């Protein structure tokens, strides 16, 4: 690693930042953890780190300069966008503040993330995707567990895939649920787990058939920069899919992350839920 090319991990909530940090350490790196205030929820003992507000661009520049940062990975969830009053610009971002505020107020998550990456690059750093540090997290094509989707499941995959692609184009969300060929839920700002809780509630109240199970599909937004916010599933996704009565989960192969794969697939097999990667270049097909 060249001088001035240290890796910084901007850590939000969830397990992904930890996976990225561990992989970096295994490769002989000494990553600096930028813990986002009120978002990062892991214990970072043993790592050099600092807490910073989501909109503190001046603080971010200081951290990069003082710690020789040249590469940056954005990882983990961010539940809340900063208010314009919370934005602390540096000289390099001062002229961009009007467009920054406009994006925060009126644009979707993908537009916001692309803006954030441009602001980081303006500091002279390269932005990497989490999958570039931990390629083993990427979903593969085909069934990943013991169960394989049947014909009805495949019909639901195709239906939910089309819906997920449509809302992705609108920069709304990445996921959709189809039950018996009917779209029953689309992911918004609440996230996947909250959407699945909504599906479970609808089923419990008789709004969704008890006889038909259904499928969750998660895809990258067509215009998405794959360096941030790749669709992600893990053990909590399996638990919530089971509560929602779903038959399985399909994610975009090569452009989705699978966290705690061994535990997730064990839980999926025990719950009778399939997990598969779909190849969008083949129209959403998968090889068995």
């Amino acid at each position: 690693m060249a001088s001035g090319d240290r890796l910084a991990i901007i850590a939000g909530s969830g397990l992904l930042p930890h996976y990225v940090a561990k992989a970096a350490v295994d490769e002989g790196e000494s990553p600096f953890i930028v813990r986002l205030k009120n978002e990062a929820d892991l214990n970072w003992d043993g790592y050099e780190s600092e807490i910073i507000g989501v909109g503190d661009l001046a603080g971010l520049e200081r951290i990069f300069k003082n710690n020789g940062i040249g590469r940056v990975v954005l990882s983990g969830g961010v539940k809340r966008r900063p208010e314009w009053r919370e934005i602390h610009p540096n000289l390099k971002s001062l002229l961009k503040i009007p467009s920054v505020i406009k994006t925060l107020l009126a644009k979707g998550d993908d537009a916001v993330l692309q803006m954030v990456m441009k602001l980081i690059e303006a500091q002279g750093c390269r932005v990497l995707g989490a999958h570039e540090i931990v390629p083993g997290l990427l979903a593969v094509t085909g069934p990943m567990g013991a169960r394989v989707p049947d014909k009805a499941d495949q019909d639901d995959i195709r239906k939910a895939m089309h819906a997920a692609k449509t809302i992705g184009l609108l920069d709304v969300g990445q996921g959709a649920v189809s039950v018996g060929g009917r779209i029953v839920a689309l992911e918004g700002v609440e996230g996947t787990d909250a959407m699945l809780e909504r599906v479970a509630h609808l089923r419990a109240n008789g709004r969704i058939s008890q006889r038909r199970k259904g499928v969750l599909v998660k895809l990258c937004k067509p215009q998405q920069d794959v360096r941030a916010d790749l669709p992600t599933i893990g053990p909590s996704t399996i638990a919530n899919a089971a509560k929602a009565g779903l038959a399985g989960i399909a994610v975009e192969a090569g452009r989705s992350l699978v966290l705690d794969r061994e535990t997730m697939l064990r839980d999926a097999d025990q719950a009778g839920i399939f997990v598969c990667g779909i190849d969008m270049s083949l129209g959403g097909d998968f090889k068995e």
Side-chain angles (χ1 to χ4, degrees):
M1 181 178 66
S3 176
D5 198 32
R6 188 179 182 185
L7 178 69
I9 299 170
I10 299 182
S13 63
L15 293 173
L16 180 57
H18 183 266
Y19 280 99
V20 177
K22 184 178 184 304
V25 169
D26 289 345
E27 291 298 317
E29 302 228 32
S30 176
F32 188 95
I33 312 302
V34 182
R35 295 147 55 202
L36 295 179
K37 186 177 181 181
N38 299 323
E39 299 289 353
D41 53 7
L42 297 179
N43 185 329
W44 289 105
D45 289 349
Y47 291 89
E48 217 180 330
S49 71
E50 186 171 333
I51 296 175
I52 193 172
V54 175
D56 190 356
L57 299 172
L60 200 61
E61 180 187 37
R62 173 183 52 76
I63 289 174
F64 290 169
K65 182 178 179 180
N66 291 347
N67 295 281
I69 303 301
R71 295 166 298 142
V72 178
V73 173
L74 305 174
S75 65
V78 177
K79 299 182 183 68
R80 189 183 70 85
R81 296 186 183 191
E83 298 289 339
W84 66 268
R85 298 177 185 83
E86 298 174 280
I87 298 173
H88 303 293
N90 58 358
L91 289 175
K92 294 176 182 177
S93 62
L94 193 59
L95 294 177
K96 299 179 181 179
I97 290 305
S99 64
V100 167
I101 293 173
K102 182 178 179 181
T103 300
L104 288 172
L105 292 175
K107 301 291 186 178
D109 287 347
D110 187 61
V112 170
L113 284 169
Q114 289 190 32
M115 174 197 71
V116 169
M117 287 187 279
K118 287 177 182 176
L119 290 170
I120 290 172
E121 289 170 338
Q123 315 301 320
C125 296
R126 289 184 295 130
V127 179
L128 306 176
H131 61 286
E132 296 180 73
I133 307 296
V134 203
L137 292 181
L138 287 171
V140 297
T141 303
M144 297 181 224
R147 192 170 181 276
V148 176
D150 60 22
K151 185 180 181 306
D153 297 329
Q154 292 179 45
D155 289 342
D156 272 327
I157 289 174
R158 283 188 284 271
K159 189 79 172 182
M161 186 177 68
H162 177 72
K165 185 176 180 180
T166 299
I167 63 169
L169 283 168
L170 297 172
D171 198 3
V172 173
Q174 298 173 323
V177 175
S178 174
V179 177
R182 172 192 172 203
I183 299 299
V184 299
L186 299 172
E187 182 186 17
V189 295
E190 81 277 27
T192 303
D193 287 344
M195 177 183 66
L196 292 176
E197 289 174 9
R198 177 157 43 94
V199 173
H201 180 75
L202 290 169
R203 199 185 290 273
N205 285 279
R207 299 295 302 275
I208 297 175
S209 170
Q210 296 286 350
R211 295 182 297 106
R212 297 176 174 177
K213 289 197 169 183
V215 170
L216 163 69
V217 170
K218 294 193 72 173
L219 305 178
C220 251
K221 298 170 185 175
Q223 73 284 2
Q224 183 169 339
D225 189 317
V226 297
R227 293 176 296 172
D229 196 32
L230 287 181
T232 302
I233 59 173
S236 69
T237 321
I238 298 299
N240 284 301
K243 291 175 185 175
L246 300 184
I249 299 167
V251 294
E252 185 172 353
R255 300 213 305 169
S256 300
L257 303 177
V258 179
L259 302 185
D260 202 355
R261 188 182 302 248
E262 184 177 336
T263 298
M264 189 200 74
L265 293 178
R266 182 199 66 208
D267 293 349
D269 290 346
Q270 290 177 351
I273 290 174
F274 70 79
V275 180
C276 71
I278 51 181
D279 188 338
M280 293 303 291
S281 69
L282 300 176
D285 286 341
F286 63 88
K287 53 191 177 187
E288 299 186 22

